Amino acid sequence: MPRLNYALRGKDIRKAARAAVAALNEHGLDSCLFGSAACAIYGTENREPNEISINQDVDIIVISEMDPEEIKELILQSDDRFYLVPSANPRNTYQVLWFTVSSRKRCKVDILIPGLLSVPKIPVRKISYIEPFQDIPVVPFLVLLLLKLRGWTDHRVDHRQHMRDKVEVDEEDIEELLELAVQEYGATLDQERWLPKWFVREMQERVQEYIEEWPDSAENWQCLGF
């Protein structure tokens, strides 16, 4: 296999996302992006979709109760550009899903289902499509922001240095997403009454933690209903 050391651009990330979504659709599975790729699609300048991507993978929520490992196998059946690699940690039993972007580029694709890492079950009707990338489903804006907040709180206390190193970028994302939520998308908790109570309670605690670290953000969080 040739060395795969070329940085991915936004178009590469989107290529992998489209391929994964199409493969899942073939099996009747609805899905949507979250994480940094979704941030870029929603318009965060920190994740400019046409530049070299800070993030080098795609995070996808599959609206299903299937085991993520089974879902990965279904994706492989539909598109031979995907392949599996054992986890670098021999104690992990899962395999890592990769997409072949080109002869020298590959993109990791992470599959999550509701219930993992605080991901709520998202009604299909709430999945969003944002111009000019209307063919790529993304999580509702407020869910994206709150899952990014979950990542921030987790990264702050992680024992691994490379995970703690993500905190600064998380904060840049959250700052931009907060501004977009208030100024462009008008996102509020009242508009997302389908959110499970456990999810809202958990995120209220995380919002408070963020405000304690960044007091100037309190007004924007209040505008969202927190």
Side-chain angles (χ1 to χ4, degrees):
M1 180 181 293
R3 291 182 65 189
L4 302 171
N5 57 351
Y6 283 67
L8 298 177
R9 294 185 175 272
K11 65 180 181 180
D12 301 320
I13 300 289
R14 294 192 299 275
K15 181 178 180 179
R18 289 186 177 101
V21 169
L24 291 165
N25 285 344
E26 285 189 20
H27 295 279
L29 295 173
D30 294 299
S31 62
C32 52
L33 270 65
F34 74 112
S36 301
C39 288
I41 288 174
Y42 269 113
T44 58
E45 293 182 2
N46 190 44
R47 301 291 184 171
E48 170 55 51
N50 294 318
E51 299 298 328
I52 293 176
S53 176
I54 296 173
N55 201 53
Q56 296 287 295
D57 59 12
V58 173
D59 300 311
I60 298 181
I61 297 170
V62 181
I63 316 300
S64 172
E65 296 181 358
M66 291 179 62
D67 186 285
E69 298 307 298
E70 295 178 13
I71 294 173
K72 293 173 188 177
E73 291 291 346
L74 292 179
I75 292 174
L76 261 63
Q77 292 174 21
S78 295
D79 192 330
D80 61 9
R81 291 175 294 178
F82 288 94
Y83 60 98
L84 292 170
V85 174
S87 171
N89 186 339
R91 290 177 294 181
N92 294 334
T93 58
Y94 64 84
Q95 297 195 83
V96 181
L97 182 65
W98 290 88
F99 174 75
T100 305
V101 177
S102 67
S103 61
R104 292 187 177 274
K105 291 184 180 181
R106 65 177 184 173
C107 178
K108 185 161 71 76
V109 179
D110 291 328
I111 300 294
L112 272 76
I113 59 172
L116 294 179
L117 299 180
S118 301
V119 173
K121 185 174 181 180
I122 300 168
V124 174
R125 71 180 188 281
K126 287 293 185 177
I127 293 174
S128 299
Y129 297 85
I130 307 299
E131 294 184 0
F133 309 115
Q134 303 96 317
D135 58 336
I136 304 178
V138 292
V139 295
F141 191 91
L142 191 59
V143 176
L144 172 64
L145 170 58
L146 294 175
L147 290 178
K148 178 61 69 171
L149 181 66
R150 156 73 195 253
W152 174 79
T153 56
D154 289 352
H155 293 155
R156 295 180 79 202
V157 297
D158 200 292
H159 69 280
R160 295 165 294 181
Q161 183 62 47
H162 74 279
M163 298 301 285
R164 295 197 302 274
D165 288 343
K166 295 183 177 184
V167 169
E168 183 176 350
V169 175
D170 288 337
E171 290 171 348
E172 292 173 355
D173 285 338
I174 291 169
E175 181 180 2
E176 274 204 83
L177 288 170
L178 271 173
E179 292 179 359
L180 285 171
V182 174
Q183 298 174 11
E184 184 168 341
Y185 291 102
T188 66
L189 271 177
D190 280 345
Q191 294 175 344
E192 307 294 354
R193 295 188 177 184
W194 60 270
L195 285 170
K197 291 181 180 179
W198 65 263
F199 180 79
V200 175
R201 285 195 300 268
E202 178 181 326
M203 293 307 159
Q204 285 172 332
E205 295 177 3
R206 296 178 188 276
V207 166
Q208 187 56 44
E209 181 179 343
Y210 191 85
I211 291 173
E212 290 174 2
E213 185 70 17
W214 298 100
D216 289 347
S217 70
E219 184 176 352
N220 279 340
W221 286 113
Q222 186 175 8
C223 288
L224 301 186
F226 288 97

